[in-house]
Amino acid sequence: RLVLGLSISDMMASVVNVLSTWPIPEESGVYLASGTTQTCTAQGFFNELGNISTTLYQVSLCAYYVLVICNNWGEARIRSKAEPLMHIFPETISLLFAILGFPF
């Protein structure tokens, strides 16, 4: 489940990176820019959301392995005590940073 969250975040970030300069407003003069202010804002939102949550899901995956290998936690214990936090942390922090970018 953590790898699924990581994969979804990574796909989101990859799509934004593939779009590159297309969503940037045309009047900016940037090469291949053909978007509007709204498309540029949406790209920035999903860029922050995808890239930050990908990194934080990596942290969650590392914490998962520490709990399993070093602390001998079983699947049931991880699922009930740690895994909810391992999803809430990346999703909440990345969403917070993505929303905070709107005024800029």
Side-chain angles (χ1 to χ4, degrees), residues 3 7-8 14 21 29-30 40 60 64-65 78 81-82 84-85 100:
V3 174
S7 298
I8 291 169
S14 296
T21 59
V30 175
C40 189
S60 293
Y64 172 86
Y65 286 121
I78 288 176
K81 296 188 184 243
L85 294 174
L100 287 174

Side-chain angles (χ1 to χ4, degrees), residues 16-93:
V16 169
N17 290 333
V18 165
L19 292 176
S20 184
T21 59
W22 291 343
I24 297 174
E26 252 182 294
E27 58 272 3
S28 68
V30 175
Y31 180 68
L32 292 179
S34 60
T36 63
T37 302
Q38 291 81 12
T39 58
C40 189
T41 301
Q43 182 188 29
F45 176 82
F46 288 109
N47 183 47
E48 291 298 306
L49 190 65
N51 286 317
I52 292 173
S53 63
T54 296
T55 304
L56 295 177
Y57 263 113
Q58 289 284 353
V59 171
S60 293
L61 201 56
C62 290
Y64 172 86
Y65 286 121
V66 166
L67 291 174
V68 170
I69 296 169
C70 297
N71 297 344
N72 295 319
W73 279 32
E75 182 66 29
R77 188 173 182 191
I78 288 176
R79 186 177 293 178
S80 66
K81 296 188 184 243
E83 192 173 349
L85 294 174
M86 291 179 180
H87 289 288
I88 291 170
F89 177 68
E91 293 171 9
T92 304
I93 299 298

